[in-house]
Amino acid sequence: MTGPFTGLVTGRVLVAGAGVTGRSVAVALLEMGAEVTVTDGNAERLAELADTGATLVPGLTEPPTGTSLVVTSPGWRPSSPLLASAVAAGIDVIGEVELAWLMSQRLPQPPAWLVVTGTNGKTTTVGMLAEILRADGRNAIACGNVGLTVIDAIRAGHDVLAVELSSFQLHWQRSLRAHTAVVLNLAEDHIDWHGSMEEYAKAKGRAYAGAGVVVRNTADEWSGRLAAEHGGVRVGFGLGVPRPGELGLVEDLLVDRAFVADPGEQAVELADLADLNVVGAHNVANALAAAALARSFGVSPDAVRAGLRAFQPGAHRAVPLGEVNGVSYVNDSKATNPHAASGSLLSFESVVWIAGGLLKGATVDPLVEAVAGRLRGVVLLGADADAFAASLARHAPDVPVRRPAPGDHEPMIAAVSAAGAMARPGDVVLLAPAAASMDMFRDYAHRGDAFAEAVARARVNSTFDGSAATSDGATGGR
């Protein structure tokens, strides 16, 4: 069998990781004519690739003799024994996105890459972008760190790719030259993986390398700094009135002063706030970023409006769950770091905050200081609850703090009960943990599902007594 990718990679190739990315990579490499070995520490997951025809070897710590290339899945750290061994042996190590880019350049008409990265808002922005592109009649797909792998999106024949890229994926990237790229924002996250904020930022900045249009967030210092390091046409977005070369807000209107004939004198209305099915200023910024990428690709203003109207936020991303006793409940379990949680917390005037988990080296002091005046109370969960409690004691000493009682077998039920007991009609009980979930849950979705189930249970009971939590601070409330 021959095709446009035949012969792109040959010889003996090792694929690190047998998850979704590993399967896509292995299948593509085999079709190119490579001799493929896949390794993973999870033997059961590795066995799921038996149908691919690749050689499966569990737990390799160094590449097999004769290996000429290693393609790694994004979760593997550069310091892992296998990857470190490959680098030390002079074997090239790349990621799935690098391979996908090389594949795309083999096509007679390569798809356009519209790339989105940043600490927070990536999935929402890519989802909005894909809807806008489809509203304009484009054969577009969201892919990368969401939905399809980029390899599978390319093999499916899409003309334009709305690509979400994580810092893990970008770490191994060197050839990508996007049509347009944006770094939405940058805050402390994955420092344990990258080693420092500077290395994390360096990885994110690779999205801008060689991009034809560089889109920056005018309110984010890191986004502006990284954009300034690269060429291309520079465009800004922000929540203020746009200057020439920017997209922004004029009262309730989303306005473009970049992709018009005369940015100094002209502006075009793209949508209004009522067209958005999301809450929070951070999501308005995401909509402006998505609009900027789409407009850079020639999408009409009407399609921007239609796409934003069609977009529905993903699960566990500031999703309203209804009311119980006059108190609203919102599930933002995807807020897995302090920067992400700030967007939700600043969207509401009076909040009982359910927080905690694994901070992964991040600090919560700036977040707590910024939102202290909005807090009715706080319920803490997870391994780093003490760090949250200490920050609250410093910056919000009058806010009551509760924790589920030790030994409670259903801590989220206890947390929702404690939050409901502190809340007053008109308040919002917000799950925005500001931390990762793996200390108590499989992932953020499992955590969000547990919260939704606890709220559903509370709706049936319709009473809260707060007895399942212990006090950790003041009891006066706001």
Side-chain angles (χ1 to χ4, degrees):
M1 184 175 64
T2 61
F5 312 123
T6 302
L8 176 61
V9 177
T10 57
R12 182 169 292 180
V13 182
L14 176 64
V15 178
V20 173
T21 297
R23 172 176 284 275
S24 294
V25 170
V27 170
L29 288 170
L30 287 164
E31 290 183 356
M32 293 174 196
E35 181 183 341
V36 180
T37 299
V38 183
T39 189
D40 195 295
N42 186 323
E44 291 183 3
R45 182 166 56 200
L46 187 64
E48 294 175 0
L49 270 63
D51 62 327
T52 64
T55 300
L56 309 178
V57 182
L60 285 176
T61 57
E62 58 183 36
T65 301
T67 298
S68 58
L69 175 68
V70 175
V71 184
T72 179
S73 297
W76 286 55
R77 299 189 186 202
S79 59
S80 66
L82 175 62
L83 301 186
S85 174
V87 171
I91 299 171
D92 199 14
V93 180
I94 66 172
E96 177 256 341
V97 177
E98 175 77 8
L99 181 61
W101 173 259
L102 297 175
M103 290 172 62
S104 72
Q105 300 312 292
R106 273 291 191 95
L107 295 172
Q109 292 185 315
W113 291 48
L114 305 180
V115 171
V116 178
T117 193
T119 303
N120 299 303
K122 299 184 294 295
T123 299
T124 295
T125 302
V126 162
M128 290 175 168
L129 175 58
E131 290 288 0
I132 292 169
L133 291 166
R134 287 192 285 264
D136 201 54
R138 312 296 181 124
N139 177 14
I141 190 71
C143 61
N145 199 43
V146 59
L148 289 177
T149 64
V150 190
I151 283 177
D152 287 347
I154 289 168
R155 295 175 70 200
H158 295 284
D159 298 330
V160 55
L161 310 178
V163 187
E164 175 185 332
L165 294 182
S166 70
S167 60
F168 302 161
Q169 292 168 309
L170 285 163
H171 174 86
W172 301 104
Q173 190 56 49
R174 56 177 181 258
S175 301
L176 172 64
R177 299 294 181 264
H179 181 283
T180 308
V182 62
V183 177
L184 297 170
N185 46 63
L186 224 60
E188 286 186 338
D189 198 19
H190 303 305
I191 304 304
D192 55 343
W193 199 94
H194 291 280
S196 69
M197 184 65 183
E198 288 69 26
E199 286 300 312
Y200 175 56
K202 181 179 177 181
K204 291 291 192 182
R206 289 191 175 97
Y208 283 144
V213 181
V214 170
V215 178
R216 65 183 178 88
N217 182 347
T218 59
D220 189 272
E221 179 183 355
W222 275 108
S223 178
R225 187 189 307 181
L226 294 171
E229 295 175 358
H230 297 279
V233 177
R234 294 200 180 105
V235 173
F237 72 93
L239 297 177
V241 175
R243 297 176 295 182
E246 296 179 354
L247 285 77
L249 286 179
V250 178
E251 297 181 346
D252 288 345
L253 300 179
L254 281 68
V255 173
D256 176 6
R257 288 191 69 187
F259 302 101
V260 291
D262 184 358
E265 299 294 333
Q266 291 180 306
V268 61
E269 176 185 335
L270 301 175
D272 58 50
L273 295 180
D275 292 315
L276 305 182
N277 297 311
V278 290
V279 298
H282 60 302
N283 279 321
V284 178
N286 292 337
L288 288 164
L293 270 72
R295 292 284 288 159
S296 78
F297 197 63
V299 168
S300 71
D302 287 344
V304 173
R305 186 188 300 271
L308 291 175
R309 284 177 172 173
F311 173 76
Q312 296 295 328
H316 313 294
R317 292 172 169 82
V319 177
L321 300 179
E323 292 188 1
V324 181
N325 298 331
V327 175
S328 298
Y329 289 76
V330 175
N331 172 14
D332 198 14
S333 184
K334 187 60 174 69
T336 56
N337 57 63
H339 186 269
S342 68
S344 286
L345 286 161
L346 293 172
S347 299
F348 306 107
E349 294 297 322
S350 184
V351 177
V352 178
W353 181 26
I354 300 179
L358 290 170
L359 283 170
K360 300 181 297 182
T363 177
V364 295
D365 275 352
L367 169 62
V368 173
E369 186 174 12
V371 304
R374 298 171 183 263
L375 299 178
R376 171 83 67 185
V378 180
V379 181
L380 295 178
L381 296 168
D384 287 330
D386 286 347
F388 284 86
S391 184
L392 287 159
R394 285 190 292 270
H395 301 294
D398 296 328
V399 173
V401 179
R402 303 284 187 268
R403 302 196 201 197
D408 194 301
H409 295 298
E410 297 179 283
M412 189 61 79
I413 291 174
V416 168
S417 178
M422 286 190 280
R424 302 290 179 267
D427 289 348
V428 173
V429 171
L430 173 67
L431 175 67
S437 58
M438 289 79 73
D439 55 335
M440 296 177 66
F441 303 94
R442 288 191 304 274
D443 49 31
Y444 75 83
H446 181 208
R447 179 171 60 188
D449 288 341
F451 177 68
E453 291 169 7
V455 173
R457 175 171 169 166
R459 183 175 293 110
V460 172
N461 295 337
S462 294
T463 58
F464 293 102
D465 59 18
S467 60
T470 57
S471 176
D472 201 48
T475 57
R478 294 178 65 245

